[in-house]
Amino acid sequence: MEKSAATKRREVTGSSMAKKSAPRALTQSKQTRRKWLTFIRMCRYGVNNFSRNAWLTIAATAVMTITLLIIFMTLIARQVLVDTVTTIKDKVDMSIYVKTETTDDQAQAIKKEIEKLSTVKSVSYISPDAARTAFANQNKSDAQTLDALNEATNKLPGTFRVNIVDINNPSQLDNFVKTNPVYKPHADPNRPASFSGERRSAIQNIGLAVQFAERAGLIASVIFIVISSLIVFNTIRMAIFNRKEEIQMMRLIGADRSFIRGPFIVEAVVYGFIAAILATILGVGALYAARDKLESYDVAVGATIQNVTLYIGVVLVGMIILGAAIGVVSSLLATRKYLKV
């Protein structure tokens, strides 16, 4: 069966399109290969630049290491501060007192009422007998205090120790003490709750000090990171300044901006890679070396060390990415001056 005219036209059109697409695909392949070769050359030149001037390389790597170490220790110090502040908050509890004759069942009913409050984290009850025993154990070496305790006619009250979410805001607990029908009949009239009167002022002062420490730690972290980044930027800019004639010569022979920038970016990434490894080793080592001393001052450093050790791979990768990012940004900003038309 003979082909129709329309079929023949489609075959001719398809054949011509195939002939046109073949050179186009070949051109794209050559362009891809050329870009890949250019990238390899830039990496090779960057590595050569890194090893060409030993003293400049050592200086830039040392500054980058110190910078990343400062950032690492700043972030670690920030986390340790947060953990220590949390520990202090947990140690600050509110005391609610009940009459000595309050039974255990009545105390448990009051405890359940306190636990219903949304701002309460935990509640513990100390009975009068338990409080007397604890007081005697604390002063067992003081004979006069023990004699006074045995002769005392006033018995110790039952005590509820309450930890709340925000020690600066005990309003819900204060309202409980004033209005709760289960607690009020058993409240000790001679001992107001610890978050009222002068004791409340003391707790508020602790809370304000903790809040100030959190904010000061955050501000200090930002300042140290900014200063460190500026230092490493100036160091890389100095390294590029020493080769400004080389940059101008490459421009004169018609090199692309990306090709001129490439070796410097690769060099900065190498700086960041080596510095990140050194900074991580030094930072983790310093953390372990200072652990016993810090814990002797009740600084909560144990959880941070445990997390760093557990996720050391993630920490190292993060430091490498950070070092490379700082190096790349600094290199781009420094080379921009010499690439302006």
Side-chain angles (χ1 to χ4, degrees):
M1 185 182 241
E2 295 184 359
K3 296 181 179 178
S4 65
T7 303
K8 291 181 178 180
R9 282 198 300 270
R10 283 197 296 269
E11 290 178 352
V12 172
T13 303
S15 177
S16 61
M17 290 180 63
K19 291 179 180 178
K20 291 180 181 179
S21 62
R24 187 182 304 169
L26 183 60
T27 303
Q28 291 178 350
S29 177
K30 289 181 178 180
Q31 290 177 350
T32 303
R33 184 181 179 186
R34 187 180 298 113
K35 290 180 180 179
W36 178 247
L37 290 175
T38 302
F39 175 75
I40 293 176
R41 288 194 187 100
M42 287 191 301
C43 292
R44 187 178 62 190
Y45 294 156
V47 174
N48 290 338
N49 289 340
F50 178 82
S51 59
R52 185 170 61 179
N53 190 332
W55 288 110
L56 186 60
T57 297
I58 292 173
T61 305
V63 171
M64 179 79 82
T65 301
I66 294 172
T67 299
L68 292 178
L69 181 60
I70 291 174
I71 294 175
F72 177 83
M73 297 307 295
T74 300
L75 296 176
I76 290 295
R78 164 70 180 160
Q79 186 59 47
V80 170
L81 176 62
V82 170
D83 292 341
T84 304
V85 166
T86 303
T87 303
I88 293 174
K89 286 182 177 180
D90 291 339
K91 289 182 178 179
V92 177
D93 54 29
M94 313 291 182
S95 296
I96 300 176
Y97 304 100
V98 292
K99 297 176 183 178
T100 304
E101 58 270 16
T102 302
T103 63
D104 290 341
D105 291 339
Q106 293 169 339
Q108 290 301 317
I110 296 172
K111 181 181 178 181
K112 289 180 181 179
E113 291 293 317
I114 298 174
E115 289 174 341
K116 293 178 182 179
L117 302 178
S118 60
T119 58
V120 171
K121 293 170 61 178
S122 63
V123 186
S124 61
Y125 175 67
I126 303 174
S127 65
D129 293 337
R132 182 185 179 89
T133 302
F135 184 81
N137 290 333
Q138 291 176 357
N139 298 274
K140 59 184 178 181
S141 59
D142 190 342
Q144 292 183 350
T145 301
L146 292 177
D147 291 339
L149 179 64
N150 293 328
E151 295 176 1
T153 56
N154 294 332
K155 295 183 178 181
L156 296 174
T159 307
F160 290 97
R161 298 197 179 278
V162 185
N163 289 105
I164 61 176
V165 176
D166 185 3
I167 60 176
N168 290 324
N169 184 24
S171 57
Q172 193 178 32
L173 198 60
D174 190 23
N175 183 66
F176 170 86
V177 171
K178 293 177 181 178
T179 61
N180 187 268
V182 178
Y183 164 75
K184 287 188 68 177
H186 306 287
D188 189 337
N190 299 321
R191 292 181 177 84
S194 64
F195 47 85
S196 59
E198 295 180 356
R199 294 180 178 180
R200 180 167 188 167
S201 299
I203 292 175
Q204 287 178 340
N205 290 335
I206 294 174
L208 292 174
V210 167
Q211 192 174 20
F212 172 78
E214 289 179 338
R215 292 178 179 176
L218 178 60
I219 293 172
S221 300
V222 173
I223 291 174
F224 278 127
I225 291 173
V226 170
I227 292 175
S228 301
S229 300
L230 290 175
I231 291 173
V232 75
F233 165 70
N234 287 327
T235 302
I236 293 179
R237 186 173 66 174
M238 179 185 67
I240 294 175
F241 176 78
N242 289 336
R243 295 200 289 270
K244 64 178 181 178
E245 294 180 357
E246 180 182 335
I247 296 175
Q248 292 171 354
M249 185 178 298
M250 293 176 71
R251 287 187 59 194
L252 290 175
I253 63 176
D256 294 336
R257 291 188 178 187
S258 58
F259 184 81
I260 298 174
R261 281 197 181 106
F264 294 103
I265 293 175
V266 172
E267 185 179 357
V269 170
V270 176
Y271 288 146
F273 180 81
I274 296 176
I277 295 175
L278 294 175
T280 303
I281 294 173
L282 293 173
V284 174
L287 200 58
Y288 272 97
R291 178 174 186 170
D292 294 337
K293 191 68 174 178
L294 291 174
E295 288 181 343
S296 67
Y297 291 103
D298 293 331
V299 177
V301 70
T304 301
I305 292 178
Q306 183 178 0
N307 289 331
V308 170
T309 304
L310 183 62
Y311 299 104
I312 187 64
V314 177
V315 172
L316 182 58
V317 171
M319 290 288 287
I320 291 173
I321 293 174
L322 178 61
I326 293 176
V328 169
V329 172
S330 301
S331 181
L332 289 174
L333 293 176
T335 53
R336 185 178 59 178
K337 176 181 178 181
Y338 304 108
L339 294 177
K340 292 180 179 178
V341 180

